[in-house]
Amino acid sequence: MVTFNIKLGQINDVKNFVNIVTKYDYEIDLTSGRYVVDAKSIMGIFSLDLTKEIKVDVHADACDDLKGELTPYII
């Protein structure tokens, strides 16, 4: 599993983030506080506190291609 933090500051950031992660087959979870949601669920993401950093858990051993696409959001 690979873990990193992101920041989604605007509505378009959430939309672009979901468009990127849905291209990948592996499971991706987002954690904010005690809430965990599926990263491919736009409604789930909007239920999180987007003013804070969000932890991303990618359930794969190698995800360099995904991290490359998500570079603008990674903190």
Side-chain angles (χ1 to χ4, degrees):
M1 180 166 44
V2 178
T3 301
F4 52 92
N5 290 328
I6 61 167
K7 180 76 170 161
L8 300 171
Q10 300 177 1
I11 292 172
N12 282 337
D13 293 343
V14 174
K15 179 182 159 193
N16 293 335
F17 176 84
V18 171
N19 286 337
I20 292 169
V21 298
T22 54
K23 295 189 287 187
Y24 296 92
D25 291 334
Y26 31 82
E27 296 293 320
I28 305 168
D29 295 326
L30 299 180
T31 305
S32 178
R34 59 187 174 130
Y35 298 102
V36 179
V37 299
D38 183 357
K40 298 176 183 179
S41 167
I42 197 163
M43 293 303 290
I45 295 172
F46 280 121
S47 72
L48 300 176
D49 183 358
L50 298 178
T51 63
K52 298 181 181 176
E53 290 183 13
I54 300 170
K55 183 175 88 167
V56 179
D57 292 319
V58 181
H59 299 276
D61 294 327
C63 65
D64 293 333
D65 47 352
L66 172 65
K67 283 183 79 173
E69 287 193 67
L70 294 178
T71 300
Y73 310 112
I74 295 177
I75 297 176

